[in-house]
Amino acid sequence: MSTPSPAYDVVPKDEAPEAPLVASTPATGMSRRWRRSVAGAVIAASAGVAVIVTYHQRTTPRIETPGGLRGPDHPFKLYQTFGGLGMPAKSDQYDGVMEPRYVKTTSDQWDQTHVFAIGDWGAPLPDHKTYRATPGLDEYAQYSVAKAMKNRASWAHPSYVLNVGDNFYLAGIVMDCNAAPNAAWGKAKADFSSGWQSIYAELANIPWLSVLGNHDYGGWQFNNGWPQQIGYSFVNYNWIMPARYYNKKIAHNGYDVEYFMLDTNSFDAKAPTDPDTNHNICSQKHNYGDQCTGNDGMANVWSCQSWFQSSWSAQKAWFEEKLAASNARWKIVVTHFPCGYEGSWYKALREQHGLDLIVTGHRHQQELWWPGTTSKYVRNFMNQNDLGDLVCVVSGGGGGITAQKFMDADYGRDLLWYGFFHLTISKWELKVELVDIDGGVKGNVTIKPRNNAPTTTPTTPTTTPAPTTQPPPPPAAAKPVATTPKEDMPPVAATKDIPPAKAPPAAAAATPATTAAPKTAAPATAKAEEPVGEKAPKKGAGIVENNAKEESEIDKILSGDDASLVHPADAKDTPLMKSQLGSAAPARSELDKADDKETAAPAAPAKTAAEPQVWSN
């Protein structure tokens, strides 16, 4: 496998927090330029020429990189040099802040801005091998997804990336959660350089609007370096995560897009004695005696669950207030826990305040939830978690951990093992595309801004190959028809139940039939085209057995196996081929089976309509 081109890492001298840039001319002593100037003056004077020598101090400092000195316009920009918020003393200092840093957006010839979305991408360091993957099949899935993103970026030129979390598998950045955020200058910075910049290269040189995933806290614990991921936002200008939750309004060409970045990891914060110790941030088994009070975090394992729940309640109140006050053209939620969690609440916020889209992750696959989906697997869970016409995506197939590979899932249209999403945003519409690792589009939908046209426009299902040139111009978008605003729905009471109970349907607001566009579903006669190479594996067919000797160290701990660890052979060029994905699925380990019990579609009889099902992992 080819090695990605490294991204230069700009480092202030001595790596001191809040350190100034290293100037090319020292403040004291005689610089090389000064010595040359003086020498030139002496020579010129001896030739009878009058010379006036001026000491020159650069007003635009340059910074030190492995490749020499570069100006401050280098893509890796030190945050404190460019204004904005200062390094927080504690990780919660900026909770709920309107993030102020400037994000440059560009538009194509059709006045569209391109944005990528990815999650669950941070494969374990230092070898970047996808956790729990099958050697020869998908052990380098992070590289495959990153390559597909870079290929598409070569013509789409995304302005920024939406990152839904799980940035470092398996247990986040291994640092003390009590360390101040500015400790990001140490190990955290090195981990970001290796796990983010070196993999995504030029894509790490544009802003990533980010949130934390449950694995960023520690997975089955809460005491690892999540405060330093927040601190890194004040080291690298392009890593945007000033707090656990915040909002950011980005100016596009003649309109604004406002993002509401939420921490939904309370759904993995269970009672300390919960028997599912492998899927519990607050597990007593893995957190005994731990605390994060140095960053106003959990006082102990017994207060961990209530800490997360209190935070989520505060976030919900904050979000409702901010969403109601927003005058942005597009209003989008970015969070870790996937479609189905808090579905009734999100649906009500769409009805009340014009929420347009939810971008999520956590489930280790790619899902496109929209009213016209032809995926039976996605449709099954949409029916049990009513979002109305609100579009939601799950982008948990970033390659940090192996895909779920459910045996009863119809992978292909609107459902993939790995990939990312491509959002094409204009003032009048927003197109969502599910992009496979071969660059093909395996699902898409176009939506209108809720504030102007409360409809979802389904796109005829097609399977397209990866474009080799700039795609043809889109059809002209019709300007939205003015509509009479609906009456506000009654407020939805906050709930901490996991999963949430489905809210009873609200009474339809009285709206003139001629002013509201009807909800459009896919035509009954429409059929999804056969996806290219992404067929669902049949039960019992084409199973590839895992090599028991190639378990990771964390698997050894979970299974209690003390046998010596045998690493696979050195990495070879083993791209994740579609033919492999379509013909084989790896056998499941005991830990995988535990995951399946939590995430797979339950066998009949199903839950009642009052108890919507959600997936988790």
Side-chain angles (χ1 to χ4, degrees), residues 574-598:
T574 55
L576 190 60
M577 302 301 294
K578 291 287 120 175
S579 59
Q580 294 173 309
L581 292 182
S583 63
R588 315 296 284 167
S589 68
E590 291 303 314
L591 184 57
D592 294 328
K593 292 175 182 177
D595 285 343
D596 291 347
K597 291 179 182 179
E598 187 177 352

Side-chain angles (χ1 to χ4, degrees), residues 79-326:
Y79 182 84
Q80 72 269 18
T81 306
F82 298 88
L85 305 173
M87 176 71 77
K90 294 185 178 181
S91 63
D92 62 344
Q93 181 172 332
Y94 298 127
D95 281 357
V97 72
M98 169 72 88
E99 215 291 327
R101 80 190 76 184
Y102 171 69
V103 171
K104 179 181 179 180
T105 60
T106 58
S107 300
D108 59 24
Q109 61 263 48
W110 305 294
D111 203 23
Q112 302 172 136
T113 298
H114 298 273
V115 177
F116 289 172
I118 187 176
D120 300 72
W121 48 269
L125 300 175
D127 57 11
H128 307 288
K129 290 185 179 180
T130 298
Y131 181 65
R132 290 198 203 132
T134 302
L137 178 63
D138 58 350
E139 62 182 326
Y140 293 101
Q142 184 187 12
Y143 281 106
S144 297
V145 176
K147 181 179 179 181
M149 293 176 69
K150 286 183 277 190
N151 287 343
R152 198 169 184 86
S154 67
W155 60 262
H157 306 296
S159 291
Y160 51 90
V161 175
L162 306 178
N163 168 31
V164 300
D166 277 2
N167 311 314
F168 294 93
Y169 280 100
L170 182 64
I173 296 175
V174 182
M175 296 181 67
D176 184 0
C177 66
N178 287 293
N182 67 4
W185 284 105
K187 184 180 185 301
K189 179 179 167 298
D191 285 357
F192 272 102
S193 179
S194 175
W196 179 50
Q197 292 173 279
S198 68
I199 300 295
Y200 299 98
E202 63 270 19
L203 283 174
N205 293 333
I206 61 175
W208 284 45
L209 280 66
S210 303
V211 294
L212 295 169
N214 56 305
H215 283 273
D216 296 313
Y217 283 93
W220 58 16
Q221 61 199 74
F222 59 73
N223 59 353
N224 275 343
W226 52 271
Q228 288 72 53
Q229 289 201 44
I230 292 171
Y232 187 72
S233 184
F234 302 89
V235 173
N236 187 334
Y237 191 92
N238 290 324
W239 181 259
I240 301 181
M241 190 170 67
R244 293 173 55 245
Y245 65 97
Y246 60 98
N247 59 319
K248 183 162 189 62
K249 183 180 290 186
I250 297 180
H252 289 243
N253 189 13
Y255 63 96
D256 293 333
V257 180
E258 187 161 7
Y259 294 97
F260 302 90
M261 318 295 289
L262 304 177
D263 185 320
T264 46
N265 292 295
S266 63
F267 294 113
D268 219 25
K270 304 165 187 174
T273 56
D274 190 287
D276 187 10
T277 58
N278 294 337
H279 301 93
N280 182 6
I281 300 176
C282 300
S283 168
Q284 180 185 13
K285 178 179 178 181
H286 303 292
N287 287 291
Y288 191 81
D290 293 318
Q291 50 83 22
C292 298
T293 55
N295 278 290
D296 294 333
M298 316 77 176
N300 51 55
V301 69
W302 304 106
S303 65
C304 174
Q305 183 182 34
S306 62
W307 185 87
F308 275 103
Q309 290 178 342
S310 296
S311 173
W312 179 231
S313 295
Q315 288 182 64
K316 290 177 73 174
W318 167 84
F319 174 44
E320 289 176 1
E321 178 183 350
K322 294 296 181 182
L323 183 64
S326 176

